[in-house]
Amino acid sequence: IGAGGRLGSNNAGGSFNGSTIIANDLTIVKGRHNFKVGFEHRRYYLNDQGRGNTSGTFNFSPNQTAQPGFINQTGHSFASFLMGTASATNRSVVASFFGRRWRSTGFYFQDDFKATRKLTLNLGFRWEIIGGLQEVAGRMAQFNPTKPNPAAGGILGALDFADELGVTTFMDTNWRQLSPKFGFAYEVNSRMVMRGGYGINNMPPINNGFGGPSTIGYNGAIAVNTANTAVRFAEDVLFNIDQPYPSFTSELPNRNPSLANGQGTTFIGRNHNKLPYTQNWNFGFQFALPSNTVLEVNYIANKGTNLPIGGFDNLNALPLSLLSLGDNLTRPWTAASGVPQPFPGFSGTLVQALRPFPQYTGISQPYPYFGNSTYHSGQAQLTRHFRDGFSYLLAYTWSKSLGYGSDSSIDGATPVDIFNRGLDRSITGFHIPHFFKGTWIYELPIGNNKLIPLRGIANTLLGGWQLTGIHQIRSGDALSIGAAGVVNPLGAAYPDLVQGVPIVANSDASISFRGFAGGTPYLNRAAFANPPVHPGGQNVIIRPGTLGPVLPNIRGPRVWSEDVSMQKIFRFDEQKSFEIRGTFLNPLNRAGRGNPITNLGDPNFGQITLARFGGRNIELAARITF
């Protein structure tokens, strides 16, 4: 009973988090050296006091007020509620609240060294000691791959409980989080400076939001439903809301090592608190040009290591070679399947029977730190500092970003084969190879002491106006083509790329707002095909598609945008002024073309059916300062 969970106990609990940071820094200036040393100790906490569903959830169905023999034609859920006859109910039994803790200590040293009149060196080093995620009383459970499972015939794979082992964490302390840094600046001549640097930076230990091991067994639940309560007919009453709720008969905590059988579970390795880190390096030149203008040209790159890569972490995954079993993978296991029964009483599909630990549906790792990424870019920036009423900043970036999945290494994804991660390595979804940005400020040459001089009321009204603009021109978005109607029981299913067929049908295709079959396509449907499937009718693929998660060289329509504004300030004295401003977003009313439909199962595949931008937006504002 409740409106979206707003009644009862669902919102009675809460989670409370915070941190205590103790730091000390010391700076010593001696000769040509500027030394900085210090330490930092961080203590993060999350106290989870969840009370959700402790007052119970009650479900009502038409069955309990239906006329016998006419169960599909009569009865009403609200009538069953008024009668107080529930079709199912469940209630949480909360015996434990949980307190998670992270601890880290860091020491650093840096020397900014003026080696010569023209050369400056920046040398630094940081050492961090990372403790494992703790639960204050060790109320955590996790998968142990070497422990026999008593309810699964003794096969390996069962639960460990931290408090039963006498520990508060499953991780070892990480003593090797090292971050060196180096930089230099060299004055080639009076108008040119050369700069470069290298450094390592790591993510904080709580980057996954305190996610961690399971708390199964420390709290419980009471349920009344057709799975545990026998009824003769569908319209029989399972539970009346005026009767006493069934008692909780189990003991808590329940440290049964087979408690997670038939469910998913988690695994944390002893070394899983090695933090994700990036190596950053750059090299470039800065030139002083005439007219108060500066040109910068840089090579900037980074490499991510140990990045979280959710979806690639399932310890219960299977190799793609088992696709040879075809449609049988999705069918229930039987003695005739040709595969031994994993353990007495097993019930499930053949693919489940083949898993390394068939007693679990999945085994995830909260800290799947085995992803990586690379980014390389050439960047140029031209800056004219404000002078004579005019300034601008023009920037161009040419780059390439690689990672796993269609988004990035740090987001979840479904791989095609976790044993061959290279099949999912591609350009990232946020990769934009060409990106130009321009901003400018221009004071109109109208008014007192300007090119067009004005005085009196004319100067007050027409003089002193300032214009600003922001412009962007960039490559289109990366595109991911989705296969349709095919199944890979072992992972993702990518389509095939048909060789020799143009991928882009019409790069100038306009927007087909109605999305009808006769619209002009941007992408060529004939360039893609679903991977071949087994003939059994379940559409299980024979092999993964050849395309991968992202089209490597084809993108959506390029993007142009601009915004401008104008403003004027009327000053009465040093403290009083009146400002009027007009902002024009998308002043040219560009619709822009959105991305084409990329699902092969859509009849409008390849068409652009949406505009990228909304309409022109004009905002007027006034401000009085006094």
Side-chain angles (χ1 to χ4, degrees):
I1 302 174
R6 292 192 292 271
L7 299 180
S9 61
N10 275 357
N11 289 339
S15 295
F16 311 93
N17 66 83
S19 63
T20 300
I21 301 174
I22 303 171
N24 186 48
D25 303 290
L26 175 66
T27 299
I28 302 173
V29 179
K30 185 176 182 180
R32 293 181 294 174
H33 295 271
N34 188 336
F35 299 106
K36 294 181 180 180
V37 295
F39 79 92
E40 184 179 67
H41 179 66
R42 293 176 176 260
R43 304 169 68 90
Y44 299 99
Y45 72 87
L46 171 68
N47 294 327
D48 186 3
Q49 299 182 8
R51 301 177 185 268
N53 200 36
T54 53
S55 58
T57 296
F58 301 85
N59 303 99
F60 298 90
S61 124
N63 294 354
Q64 279 65 49
T65 48
Q67 182 179 351
F70 297 90
I71 196 168
N72 294 324
Q73 294 82 22
T74 60
H76 197 285
S77 298
F78 191 70
S80 298
F81 161 65
L82 294 176
M83 295 292 292
T85 55
S87 61
T89 180
N90 63 85
R91 182 173 74 84
S92 298
V93 177
V94 176
S96 298
F97 295 144
F98 303 97
R100 295 187 175 92
R101 303 290 186 266
W102 273 111
R103 303 286 185 262
S104 67
T105 302
F107 304 89
Y108 78 89
F109 169 82
Q110 181 172 322
D111 179 16
D112 298 326
F113 174 40
K114 186 73 173 178
T116 68
R117 183 179 63 84
K118 291 188 174 185
L119 176 64
T120 299
L121 300 177
N122 310 104
L123 309 173
F125 185 81
R126 184 178 179 91
W127 174 38
E128 287 192 84
I129 303 168
I130 311 297
L133 172 65
Q134 299 181 41
E135 203 289 321
V136 291
R139 291 164 295 196
M140 302 185 295
Q142 80 154 355
F143 167 74
N144 181 340
T146 63
K147 185 175 183 177
N149 192 309
I155 64 174
L156 297 182
L159 295 183
D160 274 340
F161 297 87
D163 55 356
E164 195 172 44
L165 298 174
V167 299
T168 59
T169 180
F170 290 118
M171 298 178 177
D172 290 333
T173 299
N174 178 8
W175 297 87
R176 302 177 61 184
Q177 200 70 42
L178 308 177
S179 301
K181 292 177 173 60
F182 165 76
F184 74 92
Y186 179 70
E187 181 183 337
V188 179
N189 55 50
S190 61
R191 304 189 68 84
M192 183 171 68
V193 175
M194 178 174 61
R195 292 189 176 92
Y198 170 85
I200 293 179
N201 299 282
N202 56 262
M203 289 184 177
I206 58 169
N207 69 84
N208 78 335
F210 284 103
S214 169
T215 58
I216 189 173
Y218 294 95
N219 291 322
I222 306 168
V224 180
N225 51 49
T226 55
N228 58 26
T229 303
V231 293
R232 295 180 59 195
F233 305 104
E235 61 268 25
D236 284 354
V237 176
L238 270 78
F239 186 81
N240 283 299
I241 61 174
D242 63 347
Q243 71 186 70
Y245 213 86
S247 299
F248 185 71
T249 57
S250 301
E251 292 185 2
L252 293 177
N254 181 357
R255 300 188 182 92
N256 180 354
S258 302
L259 194 59
N261 285 13
Q263 308 174 41
T265 187
T266 59
F267 171 75
I268 297 177
R270 299 178 67 90
N271 65 340
H272 277 197
N273 63 336
K274 58 180 182 181
L275 299 183
Y277 67 90
T278 59
Q279 300 175 73
N280 303 275
W281 60 92
N282 65 85
F283 178 78
F285 294 87
Q286 185 180 59
F287 304 90
L289 303 178
S291 300
N292 211 31
T293 303
V294 176
L295 172 64
E296 296 181 58
V297 180
N298 296 287
Y299 163 62
I300 299 176
N302 65 60
K303 181 182 185 302
T305 304
N306 294 343
L307 299 181
I309 183 170
F312 291 72
D313 57 329
N314 186 7
L315 296 179
N316 225 11
L318 293 168
L320 277 182
S321 59
L322 291 177
L323 285 175
S324 61
L325 297 177
D327 292 3
N328 290 329
L329 288 171
T330 62
R331 294 178 176 138
W333 174 89
T334 65
S337 299
V339 174
Q341 187 179 29
F343 55 85
F346 170 83
S347 177
T349 61
L350 179 61
V351 70
Q352 184 64 33
L354 290 166
R355 295 197 183 280
F357 305 96
Q359 65 271 37
Y360 298 110
T361 55
I363 305 170
S364 62
Q365 301 177 62
Y367 309 97
Y369 294 160
F370 36 78
N372 61 72
S373 67
T374 58
Y375 172 82
H376 298 274
S377 69
Q379 302 183 15
Q381 179 173 297
L382 186 65
T383 305
R384 186 185 194 274
H385 299 291
F386 197 77
R387 181 181 178 183
D388 300 327
F390 184 51
S391 70
Y392 59 78
L393 189 155
L394 308 177
Y396 169 72
T397 300
W398 176 39
S399 65
K400 186 171 186 178
S401 174
L402 296 174
Y404 290 97
S406 60
D407 292 320
S408 74
S409 297
I410 62 174
D411 296 322
T414 301
V416 66
D417 182 9
I418 70 168
F419 300 101
N420 185 3
R421 296 175 189 148
L423 295 176
D424 288 276
R425 184 170 172 83
S426 66
I427 61 170
T428 60
F430 55 79
H431 165 58
I432 305 295
H434 301 282
F435 208 135
F436 170 81
K437 296 181 180 179
T439 64
W440 51 269
I441 302 174
Y442 179 53
E443 286 187 351
L444 295 178
I446 301 174
N448 191 22
N449 297 322
K450 298 292 180 68
L451 180 64
I452 304 176
L454 294 176
R455 296 183 182 276
I457 189 66
N459 179 59
T460 301
L461 296 177
L462 302 178
W465 285 92
Q466 185 181 83
L467 304 180
T468 62
I470 301 174
H471 304 262
Q472 292 188 11
I473 305 172
R474 68 171 178 85
S475 304
D477 298 326
L479 300 176
S480 298
I481 307 299
V486 295
V487 177
N488 179 4
L490 310 178
Y494 297 139
D496 280 341
L497 184 63
V498 180
Q499 298 298 318
V501 179
I503 297 176
V504 176
N506 186 344
S507 60
D508 297 321
S510 58
I511 301 173
S512 175
F513 286 100
R514 294 184 180 181
F516 55 89
T520 303
Y522 179 88
L523 295 177
N524 184 4
R525 177 63 177 80
F528 310 97
N530 281 324
V533 299
H534 288 275
Q538 300 297 315
N539 289 328
V540 173
I541 61 174
I542 296 175
R543 55 164 179 79
T546 60
L547 181 56
V550 180
L551 277 173
N553 300 313
I554 303 298
R555 315 187 69 80
R558 60 182 177 271
V559 180
W560 294 61
S561 69
E562 57 279 310
D563 302 312
V564 298
S565 71
M566 58 188 304
Q567 67 172 357
K568 176 177 171 58
I569 300 177
F570 300 86
R571 297 193 180 277
F572 304 112
D573 56 36
E574 291 185 357
Q575 296 183 343
K576 300 182 180 65
S577 65
F578 174 71
E579 178 182 351
I580 184 170
R581 176 190 296 269
T583 302
F584 305 86
L585 305 177
N586 192 13
L588 302 181
N589 203 28
R590 295 183 188 271
R593 295 181 297 166
N595 291 324
I597 294 174
T598 55
N599 186 340
L600 291 178
D602 195 304
N604 301 316
F605 174 87
Q607 293 187 42
I608 299 172
T609 59
L610 295 174
R612 180 174 291 273
F613 304 114
R616 180 189 297 113
N617 185 297
I618 300 175
E619 300 177 1
L620 302 178
R623 175 190 176 99
I624 299 175
T625 303
F626 58 91

